[in-house]
Amino acid sequence: MRFSIYRFNPERDARPYMQEYELALDPHDRMLLDALVRLRAQDDSLAFRKSCREGVCGSDAMNINGRNGLACITRLADLKEPVTLRPLPGFPVVRDLVVDMSTFFAHYHAIRPYLVNDEPPPARERLQSPQERAALDGLYECILCGACTGFCPSWWWNPERFLGPAALLQAMRFIADSRDRATAERLEFLDDAYRLYRCRTIMNCTEVCPKHLSPSRAIEHIRRRIVSEGL
Ligand code: SF4
Ligand code: FES
């Protein structure tokens, strides 16, 4: 199988370049990550992240033939050759397919990704009805892979000020939680020309999310909540 892979080692290269590889696959190789692991055995200078190989940890998001996705759940049989791999667009490159996610996680931390509730805890736990729990479906499953944010032109133009689809979906996850008591503060923080309203409903995020989530719907729900709360 033929591959064309973005290479850049800032300690060695003046500029990035694409490197061509030819790889003999093993019959057991099913996913793109299997091929990458085999390629690294052939060329140990090739850098990429991986961990779970099950679509759970979110560490191997990259641009695969022009679309962001996770290497470990992308079937080799579905890929056109040469398979072109680039780092997540819009993120600074650390080396090859490894990107710097500091800004991405700074935005995640900014939305306060934890329950805020100062009421005295009940004897057992803060219970939810089945309906309240169901309100979190489609939000809590996010694995913070960055595929959506790295496919969002609004974020490419304003990565420091626009929170991006992943952080906004996570913000909605806590706004939607019946146990949280900081909804008003959360909405006030988000009600900002850049943090939230730089979203132009391009919907690339929803198109590429490997967990089939819809950050654009979450963003729409935040907008509606800001209107209904009269902020
Ligand atoms: S919303 Fe989807 S694409 Fe975006 S970070 Fe979460 S899992 Fe990844
Ligand atoms: S290696 Fe964990 S999501 Fe792909």
Side-chain angles (χ1 to χ4, degrees):
M1 193 162 195
R2 286 174 304 120
F3 291 84
S4 177
I5 304 184
Y6 178 101
R7 302 298 313 268
F8 180 57
N9 179 345
E11 289 172 10
R12 192 193 58 197
D13 306 322
R15 60 180 65 86
Y17 61 98
M18 298 301 287
Q19 183 165 351
E20 313 301 316
Y21 290 93
E22 188 81 45
L23 180 70
L25 292 173
D26 182 276
H28 295 108
D29 294 336
R30 292 274 183 276
M31 299 297 176
L32 174 58
L33 185 59
D34 299 330
L36 276 169
V37 169
R38 205 168 283 286
L39 276 171
R40 189 153 62 187
Q42 190 173 299
D43 173 359
D44 65 5
S45 70
L46 178 64
F48 57 90
R49 285 196 185 107
K50 65 157 174 63
S51 181
C52 70
R53 70 170 186 79
E54 298 288 348
V56 173
C57 72
S59 59
D60 61 342
M62 58 186 71
N63 187 271
I64 306 161
N65 282 351
R67 244 179 105 86
N68 291 355
L70 297 174
C72 63
I73 55 170
T74 299
R75 283 160 35 98
L76 285 165
D78 295 337
L79 295 174
K80 270 204 197 132
E81 294 183 52
V83 180
T84 304
L85 303 179
R86 297 175 188 273
L88 282 181
F91 285 79
V93 174
V94 176
R95 201 177 120 187
D96 300 339
L97 302 172
V98 176
V99 293
D100 179 353
M101 299 190 78
S102 319
T103 307
F104 177 85
F105 281 109
H107 290 329
Y108 174 57
H109 290 298
I111 61 96
R112 297 205 285 170
Y114 40 83
L115 289 179
V116 177
N117 189 332
D118 292 334
E119 293 166 7
R124 274 180 59 211
E125 57 189 297
R126 297 187 199 277
L127 296 173
Q128 290 188 297
S129 69
Q131 292 75 13
E132 287 169 339
R133 165 61 190 79
L136 305 181
D137 289 345
L139 298 169
Y140 79 90
E141 302 94 328
C142 173
I143 56 171
L144 292 168
C145 66
C148 56
T149 298
F151 216 46
C152 172
S154 294
W155 191 73
W156 298 339
W157 298 322
N158 292 287
E160 301 295 333
R161 299 172 74 185
F162 173 46
L163 294 179
L168 290 169
L169 178 125
Q170 291 282 347
M172 189 58 212
R173 181 251 171 270
F174 288 94
I175 290 166
D177 197 308
S178 60
R179 300 163 295 182
D180 191 83
R181 295 291 174 268
T183 302
E185 292 157 41
R186 292 181 188 280
L187 293 175
E188 225 165 278
F189 172 75
L190 295 170
D191 187 19
D192 175 271
Y194 278 88
R195 286 183 195 134
L196 173 70
Y197 295 112
R198 286 320 277 188
C199 169
R200 296 291 190 248
T201 327
I202 299 166
M203 294 181 72
N204 276 8
C205 51
T206 297
E207 200 187 304
V208 295
C209 174
K211 305 303 279 187
H212 309 295
L213 308 177
S214 178
S216 52
R217 193 180 328 129
I219 292 169
E220 182 53 30
H221 286 163
I222 296 173
R223 286 179 159 147
R224 281 202 219 141
R225 286 293 294 267
I226 287 174
V227 172
S228 68
E229 305 273 325
L231 290 177

